[in-house]
Amino acid sequence: MRMNFFNNAVIAFGALVAGVLLSQPLHAVPGPQVDAETATQAERETTPVPVDDGVATLKPENTSIEFVGTHVGDEPKPRLGGFSEFEGKIEVNEAGDAIKSIQVEIDIASVWTEFNDLTNHLKNADFFGIDDFPKASFTSTTIAPAAEGRITVTGELTLHGTTSEITFEAAPEFNDKGLVVRAEFTIDRTNFGMDKMTSGVEPVVTLHVVVGQKTSPRESQPGHGGEESNAAAEESMAAAELVTLKLPNMV
């Protein structure tokens, strides 16, 4: 039976959040990169988030949490989505040049995708089950330097009623106006009990998180998307396939 992304769908959360969860922490792997000509949703212009008294406040007006899921088989037909309601904070050190901690809470009912029926399907018991699991959260436990100016973030992710330790990389940038942070990584939805529709929808989802970029849901169209989609939907799908983040080499 043909599945139209998340024809059911995939999940994702990450606020600076998440990697594939197993009984032991797993390091999330950055996805493929693209050059400047293929700039997409995940690479929009950024504006540093101010740091007041050592804290940068995260909200949809200054942070973007997006995901891309794909179908099983030879035609992945990527689908782009994200969350439009969340809150959090990043604490920085006294010198204002390093991240000390990260906390984020997401309203899962605020999930959006490019297609109305797909968005509604994600909310039901096949996937997020928002009636039983309305919130997702992440709290960092350790943050350590990594290569090329990046950091390795480890913490507790709670999603779909499951809490586990996860690890992922992020790229922070500090200047006199505030803070920008970029992260790209993957999670496996089945490790959160989201194990339905796996014959048609890949369990692994790519997350794109940008602190310093406003949440901008794409205009939603009728249906789940697929062969019945109009030309605009097909163009949107092609863009979603290219969605990726370049984590800059920091000096």
Side-chain angles (χ1 to χ4, degrees):
M1 180 174 64
R2 181 180 298 273
M3 314 293 293
N4 294 317
F5 178 53
F6 335 128
N7 193 3
N8 323 324
V10 258
I11 56 128
F13 159 62
L16 291 172
V17 260
V20 181
L21 303 184
L22 300 170
S23 59
Q24 297 180 359
L26 182 71
H27 292 264
V29 180
Q33 295 184 350
V34 294
D35 57 31
E37 287 76 35
T38 58
T40 59
Q41 179 100 336
E43 294 179 300
R44 295 186 304 271
E45 182 179 355
T46 58
T47 300
V49 177
V51 178
D52 297 320
D53 296 325
V55 176
T57 300
L58 310 183
K59 50 190 176 181
E61 290 76 13
N62 63 25
T63 299
S64 172
I65 301 172
E66 298 178 352
F67 58 86
V68 176
T70 56
H71 293 84
V72 172
D74 296 333
E75 297 184 52
K77 295 182 180 177
R79 295 292 184 268
L80 175 68
F83 300 95
S84 59
E85 295 294 336
F86 53 84
E87 59 183 8
K89 65 180 181 179
I90 294 178
E91 293 184 320
V92 304
N93 63 357
E94 291 186 6
D97 60 3
I99 294 175
K100 293 170 52 179
S101 68
I102 301 167
Q103 294 181 336
V104 180
E105 182 176 84
I106 295 178
D107 180 357
I108 297 298
S110 74
V111 63
W112 61 266
T113 73
E114 301 167 284
F115 301 98
N116 294 332
D117 290 347
L118 172 55
T119 299
N120 291 332
H121 194 176
L122 280 181
K123 295 178 181 181
N124 74 23
D126 286 343
F127 295 100
F128 286 113
I130 63 170
D131 290 340
D132 294 322
F133 311 109
K135 301 289 185 180
S137 64
F138 175 78
T139 301
S140 65
T141 53
T142 62
I143 297 177
E148 299 177 331
R150 302 178 188 181
I151 57 175
T152 299
V153 181
T154 297
E156 296 293 326
L157 171 66
T158 299
L159 177 65
H160 200 252
T162 298
T163 299
S164 295
E165 183 176 84
I166 58 105
T167 299
F168 62 94
E169 278 197 359
E173 303 174 58
F174 292 88
N175 62 34
D176 57 1
K177 295 182 179 180
L179 172 67
V180 171
V181 184
R182 306 173 188 267
E184 178 184 337
F185 47 90
T186 60
I187 68 169
D188 185 333
R189 63 187 175 95
T190 63
N191 290 322
F192 297 92
M194 294 177 164
D195 54 5
K196 297 180 181 180
M197 311 297 179
T198 55
S199 63
V201 179
E202 293 287 357
V204 175
V205 184
T206 300
L207 278 293
H208 306 275
V209 181
V210 185
V211 175
Q213 182 184 88
K214 182 180 178 180
T215 294
S216 299
R218 291 195 178 180
E219 183 177 354
S220 189
Q221 304 174 54
H224 279 88
E227 293 184 322
E228 74 280 7
S229 302
N230 59 26
E234 294 298 334
E235 181 181 354
S236 183
M237 288 174 358
E241 188 172 11
L242 292 174
V243 170
T244 189
L245 265 192
K246 288 198 283 189
L247 297 180
N249 295 331
M250 308 297 294
V251 178

